[in-house]
Amino acid sequence: MSLLDAYKQRPQHFQKIERGQWENWMWQQQNAVRTGLQLRKMFPNLPSNFVERVEVWEKKGFRFQVTPYVLSLMRYDEQGNFLLDDPIARQVFPLQVWDHSQRPDEYGSEKENWENSEEMISPIAQHKYDNRVIIYTADACLGYCVYCFRSLQSNAVEEKHGGRPHWKETIAAIQKLPHVEEVILSGGDPLLYDNRGVEEMLSDIRSITHIKAIRIHTRAWMHNPYRIDEEFCALLKKYRVTEMGVHLIHPRELTVELDAAVSRVRCSDARTMLMTDTPLLRGINNNTEILHELFMGMYTMGIKPYYFSHCMPNVPAADVQRTSVKEGARLMQSLKRKISNVAMPEYIITSRLGKKTVPEALDGGPEFCYEKDDNGYPIIRFVNWKGEWETYLDAPEENVA
Ligand code: SF4
């Protein structure tokens, strides 16, 4: 498979940028598109209703940020406009104006965060499963993805959940939990910090003697792969980072630059495993050939496809990008034994209480029931990891892209 070279594909607006500057991760962040106005200047021929939607999104205080690198992954027409149905554009530009009041579920504007209060051991650390704690290290991302509830969080929530002010109390709280063996640095994006900031966090975690494993979950792989630099890879080795989460969705993300970032990690002698989480998204990757190319592409690069996640109900693009859970099960069936087993991820749904594996059988199973609620909306009733029955909001089969 030939990989896309993002620098060579950069849009007209960045033609004069030298490769050295382009590959500077901070330059990428500084030059990210964050407003409708910037978008209008950069792409004057984009349909006005598209840009207006971005501006409404912006006025509502939701997050929007696209790095030049991500702009270079998109496909363009002859006038220099990116295609609106492009699988990368559909991940980062608002596809609809989010309206909480229209949701058929419980997620209201005051419930933007999905953390259960009883699981929080500090304002930024969640202790859901016995042996691990997840820390929301940053209150922002390198870029935002419209299929993720993080992009929905308003500034009010951002202030309440701001990361580093609560760091020391978080470390102290973990120190008091001797059964916790693993810490996951998640976000926002921990790689939004520079290497000195990352080192401070890793050093504090390694000072807790009962912590065996450290994971770092980042979407730098897609938004800004230059962030995964040599200095950062040296930290992986120094602090024995066990695993890095790689969040990839479409084969167009398998670039020369991503491959180089993977090589930096794998050649660093850090022994850090790379495992993916791929959300299933209508109009982007709900297709057997695309998933085949993606899973095998990641595998051959040295990244283990780990989770294939049904798109959660509380995300901005839910009405447009969610498929039914069963569609994902059908896609998994279509790939089974067609691609290498080691390249097959586990298909899951994620509820407020945790993850659940979707059964291979299309009619579910005794502990995974495809049903309808009183209004005829599809739901799944299932037994969660605690052995309790729970309900998950499915999406209709005929959901329109
Ligand atoms: S998927 Fe990751 S990078 Fe994207 S908005 Fe969510 S937390 Fe941020």
Side-chain angles (χ1 to χ4, degrees), residues 297-369:
M298 296 191 294
Y299 169 47
T300 51
M301 249 185 206
I303 313 168
K304 161 69 184 142
Y306 186 55
Y307 280 141
F308 181 45
S309 317
H310 187 248
C311 181
M312 300 200 294
N314 59 330
V315 302
D319 295 340
V320 185
Q321 292 191 331
R322 292 187 90 216
T323 66
S324 66
V325 172
K326 211 172 268 188
E327 182 170 344
R330 277 193 218 102
L331 285 163
M332 291 301 278
Q333 271 196 355
S334 71
L335 291 167
K336 186 97 179 160
R337 306 286 171 226
K338 305 253 173 46
I339 67 172
S340 317
N341 226 28
V342 66
M344 283 290 280
E346 177 185 352
Y347 180 35
I348 55 161
I349 57 173
T350 307
S351 77
R352 196 183 280 277
L353 293 180
K355 295 179 171 58
K356 175 79 180 178
T357 305
V358 178
E360 271 181 41
L362 293 179
D363 58 353
E367 296 191 345
F368 195 95
C369 311

Side-chain angles (χ1 to χ4, degrees), residues 140-145 147-151 187-189 219 223 247:
C141 298
L142 294 156
Y144 293 101
C145 319
Y147 57 80
C148 173
F149 65 102
R150 295 273 167 221
S151 64
D189 204 309
R219 227 195 155 206
H223 288 301
H247 194 126

